Amino acid sequence: QVQLVESGGGVAQAGGSLRLSCAASGRTFGSNGMGWFRQPPGKEREIVAWINSSGGSTGYADSMKGRFTISRDNAKNTVYLQMNSLKPEDTAVYYCAASVYSMTTIARNYHYWGQGTQVTVSS
């Protein structure tokens, strides 16, 4: 079992930055692929970024490339999402998720989910 707790959400102005953290409990964190997803108001959940179990490989949805950075610290059982150049359309609930696979972009392959943290970007 893996339990995930997100933090770091809040309100930011357009062009600003926020850093989300996801603290994981469980002995398998170092073997879990991790991902960040978001769900904007009235829209479906979408993947934002993903990282493999060692942290050596990452990927991003097109609209996040160059603005967001995913990273992890396996010694601290924590994954991060640094969000820069925020836009109002980044407003969403952001979720951290863990997979039993070393890396995946498919939502159904993520078996553990956090409760989510709200990010609001004002124009």
Side-chain angles (χ1 to χ4, degrees), residues 5-6 8 10 25 28 37 39 46 50 57-58 60-61 69 72 74 79 83 105 109 114:
V5 178
E6 303 97 336
S25 64
T28 65
F37 292 76
Q39 187 164 17
E46 60 182 355
W50 53 97
S57 182
T58 60
Y60 302 89
T69 302
R72 66 190 295 162
N74 286 349
V79 63
M83 304 186 295
T105 63
N109 288 340

Side-chain angles (χ1 to χ4, degrees), residues 44-118:
E44 294 186 352
R45 185 175 56 192
E46 60 182 355
I47 194 165
V48 172
W50 53 97
I51 188 167
N52 73 338
S53 54
S54 69
S57 182
T58 60
Y60 302 89
D62 287 344
S63 61
M64 271 61 91
K65 287 180 181 177
R67 299 191 301 124
F68 291 9
T69 302
I70 187 171
S71 61
R72 66 190 295 162
D73 185 337
N74 286 349
K76 296 182 178 179
N77 277 18
T78 302
V79 63
Y80 306 96
L81 184 68
Q82 177 68 44
M83 304 186 295
N84 298 329
S85 302
L86 284 164
K87 304 175 182 180
E89 52 264 43
D90 293 320
T91 295
V93 178
Y94 283 72
Y95 298 91
C96 170
S99 173
V100 297
Y101 300 105
S102 62
M103 188 163 78
T104 180
T105 63
I106 302 173
R108 65 174 181 269
N109 288 340
Y110 286 88
H111 305 89
Y112 307 101
W113 294 82
Q115 294 292 330
T117 185
Q118 176 70 47

